[in-house]
DNA sequence: CAACTACAAATTTTT
DNA sequence: TTTGTAGTTG
């Protein structure tokens, strides 16, 4: 390892400065990971015990990447990797809480809930309280959970969150808050922790137990936090708490890549860092080693229009390379075919796993997945269904969870659902009886149902066995196999194989709790995926963060998809979408193709609606991005006709460049023209913004659906029609 | 009264 | 593709 040769001066400074607080502002592709890894190596070669180094990140991907690369470089093998403490904030919180569970207030341990579990409990709370019954517009439980979690992460109350970003749900604020209280109480009664609880409980435990905190601070002599721009307020406080007495804290981040504000992440954390830790050394990494200049020019142009930004000049020495291009298929369906054709074309130059297709939301790749299946191009998708989310895996794990914690409601309801004659209601009754020790109810159930008796006996046998994950799992799968065949007659063998995979995972664990929590916090499927070669990668932009490919395609770059429909009304949200696009484009090393279909399928109307290219593309200076439209004559990418570059007057160009903070929903949209004429389509309202007319009513009124305010009845005079083009 | 069945509706991003 | 509701059946 040669620090002189392998690192540039800024990187070297970051890697070799080991004492005192440090903030590294690392642009996209600026060798951030390399710098951190070299710093680790430097510390270890200085005689620092790897276990005394704590490495925290927000996402699993980043944690994994970091720890494997550290392991490779330190040439210590897998055991060496394990000896550097670290992982995601959540995983670290879990490990710490588990070790000191008594201090955390859980003498008998606790169970970690994943999203589905939390939703189950929330649904239960909603039913118990009788809230929202028969009300079709009451938000579904996933939305309720999202709101409650957002309120928690942003440390606001539900009303504030609603009034800021879901105006139409404001009347439900009280109900949602009540459901939230019930949910919180339920978790407390049954020693259950959700994702957010892990962080807040760790914070509480550390503040309440100064001795424990002191011990941890002594133990972790060096703390490094990666992707610091994605941390939220608790995570920043945890960083502060855990900071060793020596003050050796390093935070690494890039404000331009902050894409988790929706869950409370705040760039303020980066800005405040030097104040929080006096004497902070700030290092900027500005040389980009990943992309060619044409790609960097585009990404710089995208960032150019950002409302607020921090000065950072990314530069590269890779001057040459193909120009990024914008393709305009007729529709999102032909887009899938175009993208597949593009992949085929690229595959002559790059191995398949060096090609990635990125999109805003998981569902946007469905058409492409079908197309790739048809043409026989293998792919792997990131951000799809998690291994542990599969129903059969959750079923089996539920039995194991009940071995550790009989107060686990989601587990009971899954397990009880297999007993004939028991549905949600009876399951709840039984759960309550178990909780309160009501033998009478249980006895009655047992007398009535042979299957119920068998289940209880089975669970008792499990609980009597030694708590070895592998052995317990074997018993459970044995008992579950017939149920599996019955429940999934069609793809029973595939799921069976999945359970065998689970057995292999279990074999690696000596401790049941650790295994259960890891399945909730980590995703064992993904490391396996990572090593899979010769598959095109399909990924959400969020999941693609920190990764890079030789060729990148970004699809569905039209307004309402990317930027997401939900982000159109609030400027801050729109800015985040812009950074998201920036992250997407900066993943590309050499080749970058953007797709903006001219029409997109709309579920509501069942037809196609014309679509505008993403606002972020429309506001680029003309000529930045060559554009080619699909031709009627043929279906392959080669059939694109080159469009003449748009010839806007030079003055318009300049005004766009110097006017970054234009009201987002007005920028680039066709000028409003006329009042509704009875034709359906999009219109604009002074207060509610852009909306879709869904019905014409009497008295010159119409019903308009506004993406962020819900449907409203409005006098047509107050609306302006938007051109269909 | 609870479970099962059929159907309409809605869908961001992560831990 | 999942989730909630209304109707039907045991």
């Amino acid at each position: 390892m040669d620090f002189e040769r392998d690192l540039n001066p800024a990187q070297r400074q970051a890697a070799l400065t080991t004492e005192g607080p440090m903030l590294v502002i690392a642009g996209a592709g600026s060798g951030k990971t390399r710098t951190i890894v070299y710093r680790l190596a430097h510390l270890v070669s200085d005689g620092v015990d790897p276990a005394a180094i704590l490495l925290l990140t927000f996402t699993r991907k980043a944690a994994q990447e970091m720890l494997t690369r550290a392991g490779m470089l330190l040439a210590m093998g897998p055991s060496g990797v394990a000896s550097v403490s670290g992982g995601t904030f959540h995983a670290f919180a879990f490990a710490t809480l588990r070790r000191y569970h008594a201090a955390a207030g859980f003498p008998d341990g606790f169970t970690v809930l994943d999203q589905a579990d939390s939703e189950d409990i929330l649904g239960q709370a909603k039913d118990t309280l009788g809230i929202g019954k028969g009300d079709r517009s009451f938000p579904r439980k996933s939305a309720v959970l999202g709101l409650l979690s957002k309120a928690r992460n942003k440390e606001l109350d539900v009303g504030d969150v609603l009034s800021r970003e879901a105006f139409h749900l404001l009347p439900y604020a009280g109900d949602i808050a009540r459901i939230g209280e019930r949910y919180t109480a339920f978790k407390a009664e049954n020693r259950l922790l959700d994702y957010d609880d892990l962080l807040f409980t760790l914070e509480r435990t550390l503040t309440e137990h100064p001795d424990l905190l002191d011990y941890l601070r002594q133990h972790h002599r060096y703390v490094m936090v990666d992707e610091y721009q994605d941390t939220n307020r608790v995570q920043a406080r945890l960083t502060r708490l855990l900071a060793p007495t020596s003050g050796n804290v390093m935070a690494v981040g890039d404000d331009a890549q902050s894409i988790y504000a929706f869950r409370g992440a705040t760039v303020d954390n980066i800005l405040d860092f030097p104040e929080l830790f006096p004497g902070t050394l700030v290092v900027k990494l500005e040389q980009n080693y990943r992309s060619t200049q044409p790609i960097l020019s585009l990404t710089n142009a995208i960032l150019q229009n950002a409302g607020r930004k921090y000065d950072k000049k990314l530069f590269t020495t890779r001057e040459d390379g193909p120009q990024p291009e914008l393709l305009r298929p007729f529709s999102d369906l032909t887009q899938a075919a175009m993208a597949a054709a593009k992949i085929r074309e690229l595959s002559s130059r790059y191995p398949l796993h060096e090609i990635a297709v990125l999109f805003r939301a998981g569902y946007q790749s469905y058409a492409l997945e079908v197309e790739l299946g048809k043409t026989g191009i293998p792919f792997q998708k990131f951000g799809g269904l998690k291994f542990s989310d599969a129903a059969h895996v959750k079923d089996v794990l539920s039995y194991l969870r009940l071995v550790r914690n009989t107060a686990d409601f989601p587990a009971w309801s899954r397990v009880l659902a297999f007993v004939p004659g028991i549905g949600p209601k009876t399951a709840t009754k039984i759960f309550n009886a178990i909780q309160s020790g009501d033998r009478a109810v249980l006895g009655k159930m047992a007398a009535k149902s042979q299957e119920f008796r068998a289940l209880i006996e089975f669970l008792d046998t499990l609980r009597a066995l030694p708590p070895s994950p592998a052995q317990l799992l074997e018993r459970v799968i044995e008992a579950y196999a017939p149920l599996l065949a019955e429940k999934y007659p069609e793809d029973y063998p595939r799921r069976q194989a999945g359970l065998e995979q689970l057995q292999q995972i279990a074999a690696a664990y000596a401790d049941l709790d650790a295994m259960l929590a890891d399945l909730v916090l980590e995703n064992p499927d993904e490391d396996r995926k990572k090593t899979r070669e010769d598959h095109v990668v399909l990924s959400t932009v969020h999941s693609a963060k920190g990764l890079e490919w030789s060729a990148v395609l970004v699809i569905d770059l039209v307004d309402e998809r990317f930027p997401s429909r939900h982000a159109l009304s609030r400027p801050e949200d729109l800015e985040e979408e812009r950074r998201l696009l920036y992250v997407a484009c900066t993943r590309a090393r050499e080749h970058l193709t953007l797709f903006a279909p001219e029409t997109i399928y709309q579920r509501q109307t069942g037809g196609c609606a014309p679509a505008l290219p993403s606002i972020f593309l429309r506001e680029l200076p003309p000529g930045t991005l060559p554009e080619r439209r699909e031709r009627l004559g043929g279906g392959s990418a080669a059939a694109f006709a080159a469009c003449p570059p748009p010839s806007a007057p030079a003055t318009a160009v300049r005004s766009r460049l110097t006017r970054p903070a234009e009201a987002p929903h007005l920028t680039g949209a066709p000028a409003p023209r006329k009042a509704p004429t009875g034709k359906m389509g999009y219109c604009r309202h002074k207060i509610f913004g852009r909306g879709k007319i869904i019905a014409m009513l009497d008295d010159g009124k119409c019903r308009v659906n506004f993406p962020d305010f819900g449907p409203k009845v409005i006098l047509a005079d107050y609306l302006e029609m938007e051109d269909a083009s």
Side-chain angles (χ1 to χ4, degrees), chain A residues 387-408:
Chain A
F387 174 70
S388 51
D389 277 348
H392 55 287
V393 176
K394 293 214 80 169
D395 285 341
V396 167
L397 291 178
S398 292
Y399 289 93
L400 299 186
R401 281 162 54 165
L402 290 176
V403 172
R404 293 295 298 133
N405 181 2
T406 51
D408 188 334

Side-chain angles (χ1 to χ4, degrees), chain A residues 21 23 268-282:
Chain A
L23 176 64
D268 293 348
N269 284 346
I270 282 199
L271 303 179
D272 295 346
F273 189 89
E275 288 162 41
L276 210 56
F277 298 97
T280 292
L281 171 69
V282 179

Side-chain angles (χ1 to χ4, degrees), chain A residues 143-203:
Chain A
V144 175
L145 180 66
L147 287 166
L148 289 171
S149 174
K150 182 173 269 190
R152 201 117 188 263
N153 280 293
K154 295 196 167 189
E155 302 182 29
L156 297 168
D157 53 51
V158 174
D160 288 338
V161 171
L162 289 179
S163 55
R164 285 163 55 133
E165 44 200 282
F167 216 63
H168 58 292
L169 294 179
L170 209 48
Y172 296 118
D175 283 344
I176 294 174
R178 272 170 60 216
I179 294 176
E181 281 161 26
R182 182 78 206 91
Y183 169 69
T184 307
F186 188 93
K187 284 183 298 179
E189 285 158 20
N190 299 301
R191 42 193 246 247
L192 302 169
L193 295 184
D194 66 16
Y195 289 126
D196 300 332
D197 291 326
L198 287 173
L199 303 182
F200 286 102
T201 308
L202 178 61
E203 184 190 23

Side-chain angles (χ1 to χ4, degrees), chain A residues 24-39:
Chain A
V24 180
I25 304 292
S30 61
K32 178 190 65 169
T33 308
R34 163 182 292 247
T35 306
I36 295 179
V37 168
Y38 272 67
R39 186 170 194 262

